[in-house]
Amino acid sequence: MHSALWAALRRRVSLRTGLLWILSLAVVYFFTTNLSMVIGIAAAYLFVGTTDLLADVPGVDERWVKTGFAVFLGAASTGWLWYTLFAADGQAWLPLAAVVVSLWLVLDVRADFVQGRRLDSPDEFEDMTSAEAMLVMQHAHLVVQTLQDEPMTVLELATACDLTPSRVEDVIDVASEDGTIYPVDPDTDEPRYAVDERKLGASGLGRQAVGGLSGLLARIARPLTDQF
């Protein structure tokens, strides 16, 4: 299992990705000087990245990672809220929000167990979390910009965008649903992909925004609707 975990880690993590995230957190702290916010963003990214990584490792049920994180976040945020209310006499909205998020995660992971849902199930992209969706959207923007120059294969896109082939395939799977990215020569062993620039205008962005908003609302409500 250790070799599979190491192989999955090497596919999904690069030096450039790590440096970009460190720089992003530094920028957030520079403008907000709020260490709690920086820690929260970092913890959310590590949680999403860890569950995403473990989904690629055979024999590991990443749902238990979500369970452990939800329990830890719930205990930490409850203690933080108690300290804020009774000891520090400060603003309680941030720890209260953390408590709400931890409760949502508990319900979400219970829904995953009830429905037998895993990250590698066929509806992965329809049921992705908001953080995962934002990550795919960031990669999609980079892939689409690259494809505007010329059609490319998955491996060529991975090299040009400094992404792993699996990440490029994730973007293609999502963007091909509405035809934004489509194969130029689908019958070949390594098809090249192109972008339909008609779907990148104002009307295309509007359709994506409406679809993304409805999908996000459905994802937020899912832990409340999938408990039985």
Side-chain angles (χ1 to χ4, degrees), residues 92-116:
W93 68 268
L94 191 56
L96 182 60
V99 171
V100 173
V101 169
S102 65
L103 292 175
W104 184 90
L105 283 173
V106 169
L107 292 175
D108 189 51
V109 73
R110 185 182 186 278
D112 287 343
F113 279 110
V114 169
Q115 302 295 331

Side-chain angles (χ1 to χ4, degrees), residues 51-88:
T51 53
D52 193 23
L53 174 69
L54 293 178
D56 281 351
V57 180
V60 175
D61 191 339
E62 77 288 340
R63 292 174 295 185
W64 288 109
V65 177
K66 291 175 65 175
T67 302
F69 182 83
V71 171
F72 172 79
L73 179 62
S77 57
T78 301
W80 185 14
L81 179 62
W82 181 89
Y83 175 79
T84 302
L85 291 176
F86 298 101

